[in-house]
Amino acid sequence: MTRTALVTGAASGMGLAIAHRLAERGDRVALLDINGDAVQSVARALRDQGSEAVGAQVDVADRPSVDLAVASAREALGPIDIVVTAAGIAAHLSFADITTDLWDRMIGVNLTGTFNCIHAAVSDMVSAKWGRIVTVSSFAGQAGADAMADYAASKGGVIALTKSLSFELARYGVMVNSISPGTIATPMLQMSEDTGHFDLERIGKMIPAGRVGTAEEIAATCAFLTSEECSYVTGQIVGVNGGMR
Ligand SMILES: NC(=O)c1ccc[n+]([C@@H]2O[C@H](COP(=O)([O-])OP(=O)(O)OC[C@H]3O[C@@H](n4cnc5c(N)ncnc54)[C@H](O)[C@@H]3O)[C@@H](O)[C@H]2O)c1
């Protein structure tokens, strides 16, 4: 059965790998990202490969623009069956340096943005009595993280949102799960290394698997969580972290 999937943060890193993976298995994909040029070029590349794909420049924190993008995705590709929320931002600041504006933006993108995208599309899945929702949280949201209080709080919120929503939606055949990545080699992580906040080689040695993970490993987990076979797994926080805990 061909499904329509909405993927946020699809211009880079995990969202990009997930968009490719779902398109390759035959899903129609609607790609949302704040980086408009990049997301349009991903959508074009997927269409060139024969997939049905549309891209939209969206700030997930801005509800009207999310509503608009979801409405045009629906018009172009049909009702939304799958939502994957990978858009996110991170920062490394001591608690005292987190201004209220920075706090609001972190919560606005990572937590409210997740709420906005799911909320705008969920009625399609409830009506169809089938759906798959995958949020991308973080190990930081489970364990906390040094100099990342705002980020960790936003991801803790994503975890609570995911678990809570799973109770409401299970009876409609909508499975709601979260992928909680450990340390994954993406442009976001590269930025942390470039600014001296992460030493990837050192971190890799601390991970039981002996290395950081890849966006493709996140996409493989997401492929299962958004599949037909994932029919009795909901409310789970799936760690993809090489054994780190
Ligand atoms: N890389 C890691 O080690 C790691 C670990 C744990 C969790 N995560 C989470 O995984 C998710 C994906 O991160 P990534 O590592 O692929 O990062 P990334 O920076 O490569 O990709 C994030 C994407 O989100 C988009 N984005 C940012 N703000 C947006 C907004 N307001 N509206 C729409 N799009 C927006 C960016 O343009 C980018 O394309 C994020 O939620 C991140 O917090 C990453």
Side-chain angles (χ1 to χ4, degrees):
M1 178 139 194
T2 307
R3 302 287 188 185
T4 296
L6 185 93
V7 181
T8 75
S12 173
M14 299 180 204
L16 175 63
I18 290 164
H20 274 277
R21 178 85 191 219
L22 300 190
E24 275 156 23
R25 78 175 181 195
D27 289 356
R28 298 175 282 263
V29 287
L31 312 178
L32 275 50
D33 203 285
I34 200 164
N35 187 342
D37 289 344
V39 82
Q40 292 298 358
S41 104
V42 175
R44 245 189 333 269
L46 289 175
R47 284 195 297 273
D48 289 347
Q49 291 168 23
S51 300
E52 280 188 76
V54 294
Q57 177 174 24
V58 170
D59 177 352
V60 293
D62 176 39
R63 182 56 186 265
S65 80
V66 169
D67 285 342
L68 210 64
V70 170
S72 34
R74 206 179 266 131
E75 206 179 306
L77 304 176
I80 311 299
D81 303 300
I82 295 167
V83 173
V84 181
T85 58
I89 52 173
H92 302 269
L93 284 174
S94 66
F95 185 68
D97 291 334
I98 301 171
T99 63
T100 53
D101 281 352
L102 292 172
W103 172 270
D104 287 347
R105 184 64 181 158
M106 187 67 77
I107 301 295
V109 174
N110 290 359
L111 180 53
T112 310
T114 300
F115 166 81
N116 283 341
C117 296
I118 297 171
H119 201 251
V122 73
S123 61
D124 289 1
M125 294 180 260
V126 169
S127 303
K129 296 214 159 33
W130 192 96
R132 300 286 183 263
I133 296 171
V134 178
T135 63
V136 179
S137 52
S138 173
F139 183 67
Q142 297 173 284
D146 188 22
M148 294 186 92
D150 50 353
Y151 178 79
S154 73
K155 294 298 190 175
V158 169
I159 288 171
L161 170 65
T162 306
K163 288 183 173 174
S164 303
L165 194 53
S166 71
F167 287 110
E168 284 189 47
L169 296 184
R171 77 196 68 150
Y172 301 108
V174 180
M175 304 290 112
V176 192
N177 293 290
S178 188
I179 293 176
S180 177
T183 309
I184 309 297
T186 66
M188 179 186 279
L189 192 71
Q190 191 57 51
M191 193 191 67
S192 297
E193 189 177 40
D194 293 348
T195 53
H197 291 96
F198 277 137
D199 174 347
L200 288 192
E201 213 179 303
R202 192 179 59 82
I203 288 178
K205 287 187 185 132
M206 287 159 50
I207 298 170
R211 62 171 178 85
V212 300
T214 66
E216 288 68 32
E217 288 170 319
I218 300 293
T221 306
C222 189
F224 169 69
L225 292 174
T226 56
S227 68
E228 306 293 331
E229 287 82 1
C230 182
S231 51
Y232 202 58
V233 178
T234 195
Q236 303 304 305
I237 310 307
V238 182
V240 184
N241 53 34
M244 184 178 77
R245 59 198 160 259

